Every structure is written in C-alpha cells, then in structure tokens.
Amino acid sequence: MKNMHLHSSSLRLGLTGGIGSGKSTVAAMLARLGAAVVDADAISRRLTLPGGAAMPAIAQVFGPRFVGTDGALDRDAMRQLVFSDPGARGRLEAIIHPLVAQDTERQTAQALQAGAPCVVFDVPLLVESGRWRPRVDAVLVVDCQEALQISRVMQRSGWSQEAVEKVLANQASRPQRLAAADVCIYNQSIHLDQLAAQVRQAWEFFGL
C-alpha cells in the first residue's frame, strides 16, 4: 500500500465520526503514536466554562437563563433550545466558531513549531461544516453501526434513546461520512488491541 504523505511538512489529518463511534479513543491512540491532537470539542467546551471567552456573548444573545449559577453554559437548556429552534444553532455557532478557529490556529502553530509529524484535527462535524475539508490533507473516519452508537452513548451519558437519536439526526449520515473518508476505521464490536492495530495501519498508510 503506497503511503499518502507526499511532502516533508506535517500532515494535517481530519478525524471524524458520529457520536459514540469511538473517535476519542482513536484520537488518543494517534497521540500515542506521536500526533499532536487539536480537539475542537474540547476547545468549544472550554469556551463555555465559567469565565470562558464565549460566555459574555452567549448571555447577551440568548439571555441569562442559559447561564448556570456557576457562570458556565447551561448545556441541557441550550441543547433543548437548539433542538426546538433551528435558528438557535446558527446563532450559537456564530459566537463559538470564530473563537474555536483562533484557538485551533494557535495550537496548530505550537504543534508545527514542536515538529509534530502529524496534526490531527478531531472535529465531530467535519463532514457537515464544509469549512474543514479544505484545511486538511486527508480525512480519517471512525465508523460503526448506528445501533451501537446509540447503545454506547446511552451507557456512558445516561441519555434516553430519543435524545441520542436527535443528536444523530443533526449529524451526517454514515454514507455521507464514508464518502468523505480517505481512510476508514471500522470500530464495530472489536477489542482495543484490534482497534489499535487499525490505527497503526492508518498511521503507516499516511507515511508516518
């Protein structure tokens, strides 16, 4: 299998997968192989913690009821609003996305300066956003059947099946994600060592 890493600078790899696919586990495995992982979700969560950079604008646009007593985003209230009001997601993204982009650029510059062979952009909505694909050299998709995604998320989060299905409905379908993949890791009822072997294969495929 020929590798894809055709240039000497760091490979920019987009990592995505539906909720409950095991994407975070794969990101951690890539980090152990030497990748610098930029986690868009973690950046977004940090922005909405007490004192987070997004909180003043969120309070202004959405009102104080979306700010918890600790000063963080009331995630449950916001989730319900986004599901019931299609425009709310756009208003929230207009606040958060530019701030995520700034922090992503800062972390990427640090990784490149440190000489990381690969910068992995862990982005749940990479396929959906459209703005991410031009920024990465290749896309790695973590895939499994929808029924397994639902059971994993219910198990770890205590959400109802209906709540998980609503999240899935707002994400790209499996065929859409697979169509965007340069490499796919199939994480369906396999052991961690088997998953790690697939991750190493992908790493070698990209010439790393």
Side-chain angles (χ1 to χ4, degrees):
M1 187 189 282
K2 74 178 181 65
N3 72 52
M4 288 186 63
H5 196 189
L6 304 176
H7 43 76
S8 56
S9 60
S10 297
L11 180 81
R12 293 168 182 254
L13 183 62
L15 172 66
T16 196
I19 189 170
S21 63
K23 180 177 59 62
S24 299
T25 305
V26 168
M29 289 174 172
L30 287 165
R32 283 197 290 276
L33 288 171
V37 177
V38 178
D39 183 338
D41 244 10
I43 294 170
S44 180
R45 279 195 299 275
R46 237 187 351 262
L47 292 169
T48 56
L49 289 174
M55 289 313 300
I58 287 172
Q60 193 178 3
V61 171
F62 292 96
R65 77 184 181 92
F66 291 95
V67 182
T69 51
D70 60 353
L73 175 68
D74 184 332
R75 300 180 79 82
D76 286 337
M78 184 59 76
R79 192 179 294 116
Q80 285 167 8
L81 177 69
V82 165
F83 285 146
S84 62
D85 173 4
R89 179 186 295 275
R91 294 197 298 277
L92 181 63
E93 287 175 349
I95 295 167
I96 288 179
H97 280 177
L99 295 170
V100 171
Q102 275 175 23
D103 209 5
T104 297
E105 282 169 27
R106 183 183 59 77
Q107 288 188 33
T108 303
Q110 283 177 340
L112 296 175
Q113 206 171 1
C118 173
V119 182
V120 173
F121 298 94
D122 179 348
V123 184
L125 300 178
L126 184 144
V127 174
E128 295 85 336
S129 79
R131 66 198 178 89
W132 269 102
R133 187 58 187 91
R135 299 181 186 184
V136 296
D137 299 316
V139 173
L140 176 62
V141 169
V142 185
D143 177 57
C144 67
Q145 289 174 7
E146 206 168 272
L148 183 58
Q149 288 178 258
I150 292 168
S151 68
R152 279 177 181 161
V153 177
M154 286 172 68
Q155 206 171 6
R156 78 177 184 211
S157 304
W159 291 4
S160 67
Q161 182 166 338
E162 186 190 14
V164 184
E165 284 171 347
K166 277 183 175 173
V167 173
L168 286 172
N170 280 301
Q171 296 189 338
S173 66
R174 280 183 75 196
Q176 285 171 319
R177 261 195 305 272
L178 292 172
D182 292 296
V183 172
C184 178
I185 287 178
Y186 193 49
N187 185 24
Q188 179 77 28
S189 307
I190 58 173
H191 296 299
L192 273 177
D193 56 348
Q194 293 171 301
L195 181 61
Q198 285 195 66
V199 172
R200 181 170 283 282
Q201 272 185 326
W203 184 259
E204 289 168 359
F205 173 71
F206 290 120
L208 298 162

